[in-house]
Amino acid sequence: MERIILLCVVSTCLSAIHAQKFLFSPKWGPVGYKEHEEHGDGTAMDDIIKANEFHASRIIDGTTSLREGDIAVTAGRRSKVCFARSCLWSKSVDGHVYVAYRLSPDYSEMETKLIKKGMENIEKGTCVRFVPRTHQQDYIDIQPKSGCWSYLGARGGRQTVSLQSPDCLRVGVISHEFMHALGFVHEQSRFDRDNYVTVMWPNIWRDRLRNFEKFKTDNLNLPYDYGSIMHFGMYAYSQDGEPTIVPKNIKNIKLGQTSSLSHIDKLKINKLYQCGDADDY
């Protein structure tokens, strides 16, 4: 009897180990994440997918959910398109756009430095300035909640940007979420994206197909930006390790960015907020 019990225990342990390998192997989990070393083309969005598929539910609370992987949307409020003036942060008389923020005291000194470096990524070459909140009514509240996500554009009052520690505390991820807070959707969501990339629908995990929808946004008369920090990587949400987004008529081009804004990303900010040319900054 003791031998039978021992065999059952060993069998159970081996099954658990096998299941763990299945769930967390680079090929199978988390959904949409490819080991960066395998392809050498990791992006900020890859890091976000990895963090959110492990930690963040697509339902933040009873009325708020995540769309496209990391955009928080509240039922009954505007969701995707944020190129209307009504959801932009106010521009000061000195020509700068001051975005007030409050930083959770739960972040360490090193983590705080990383978050500020993500802010500097956006400030350099644009008219946006992030300032600690004093009296401002509208501000972003940066919290180490579950996963990496942000609301789209200025909502009015306090709005959360979630940067979980440590998974979301990478400069590119931080800048990506702040770009959402400024009002920018993912680059491949552009209504004209099919002229530039092919979405490989059969390769996408079935319950993540909605993350590849496109929307009628104002492209600000700027070219499609394969290298935008807001672009999905080539293997985003792949269910079988095959590409989910393939550039058209261009070979050997990298989709997305790991840590920096592209030149066109900065042009977008200045054009959306009517700050003049990027060369002015």
Side-chain angles (χ1 to χ4, degrees):
M1 177 65 70
E2 290 180 354
R3 183 174 297 177
I4 292 174
I5 294 173
L6 179 61
L7 287 173
C8 290
V9 170
V10 171
S11 176
T12 301
C13 290
L14 289 174
S15 297
I17 291 171
H18 177 75
Q20 186 178 39
K21 286 183 178 179
F22 176 82
L23 288 172
F24 294 99
S25 68
K27 182 176 181 181
W28 294 103
V31 177
Y33 175 69
K34 296 292 296 178
E35 288 290 346
H36 293 181
E37 294 79 12
E38 186 174 345
H39 294 286
D41 59 354
T43 68
M45 192 63 199
D46 289 331
D47 289 332
I48 291 168
I49 291 171
K50 180 184 178 184
N52 287 0
E53 292 295 333
F54 266 128
H55 301 297
S57 168
R58 279 182 289 171
I59 305 297
I60 298 173
D61 58 36
T63 60
T64 304
S65 60
L66 290 182
R67 308 280 179 86
E68 296 185 48
D70 69 333
I71 298 175
V73 179
T74 299
R77 297 192 61 159
R78 61 181 175 272
S79 56
K80 303 282 189 182
V81 182
C82 196
F83 288 101
R85 303 303 300 179
S86 60
C87 63
L88 300 187
W89 297 86
S90 299
K91 187 165 64 171
S92 175
V93 292
D94 67 3
H96 288 100
V97 176
Y98 293 101
V99 179
Y101 69 89
R102 183 173 70 182
L103 197 60
S104 169
D106 294 334
Y107 290 116
S108 68
E109 182 179 353
M110 182 59 68
E111 290 169 340
T112 297
K113 287 181 179 179
L114 282 172
I115 292 171
K116 290 184 176 179
K117 189 170 178 61
M119 294 176 179
E120 291 168 3
N121 250 353
I122 290 177
E123 292 177 338
K124 187 176 181 181
T126 77
C127 61
V128 172
R129 298 292 181 267
F130 292 93
V131 295
R133 181 184 183 238
T134 53
H135 62 283
Q136 295 89 340
Q137 181 178 355
D138 301 338
Y139 65 99
I140 55 177
D141 189 19
I142 306 167
Q143 297 283 340
K145 291 183 176 291
S146 179
C148 329
W149 48 266
S150 171
Y151 291 93
L152 193 63
R155 291 163 50 87
R158 179 183 69 86
Q159 63 185 75
T160 301
V161 171
S162 174
L163 296 173
Q164 181 179 348
S165 175
D167 297 346
C168 303
L169 293 179
R170 304 185 183 194
V171 174
V173 171
I174 295 163
S175 299
H176 180 107
E177 297 306 334
F178 288 154
M179 286 285 285
H180 281 318
L182 288 174
F184 293 96
V185 293
H186 296 118
E187 183 70 3
Q188 78 286 335
S189 295
R190 287 172 51 146
F191 72 94
D192 62 346
R193 64 103 183 275
D194 293 331
N195 296 328
Y196 305 97
V197 297
T198 300
V199 175
M200 311 298 288
W201 297 103
N203 298 339
I204 301 169
W205 199 264
R206 185 174 297 175
D207 62 357
R208 298 297 188 269
L209 291 173
R210 288 194 62 186
N211 290 347
F212 291 79
E213 292 178 350
K214 55 184 178 179
F215 304 93
K216 192 169 183 179
T217 57
D218 182 353
N219 296 327
L220 302 169
N221 294 317
L222 290 172
Y224 190 89
D225 188 10
Y226 294 99
S228 171
I229 200 165
M230 305 307 290
H231 206 300
F232 277 16
M234 189 175 290
Y235 298 89
Y237 297 103
S238 174
Q239 67 171 339
D240 53 10
E242 295 300 315
T244 54
I245 304 178
V246 178
K248 288 187 174 180
N249 305 319
I250 300 179
K251 294 182 179 180
N252 301 319
I253 188 170
K254 181 180 183 297
L255 298 181
Q257 288 282 347
T258 302
S259 60
S260 301
L261 272 67
S262 70
H263 178 64
I264 296 178
D265 282 331
K266 296 182 179 183
L267 286 176
K268 286 179 193 169
I269 294 172
N270 286 337
K271 290 201 73 171
L272 181 60
Y273 283 91
Q274 299 180 1
C275 299
D277 296 329
D279 294 339
D280 295 340
Y281 297 91

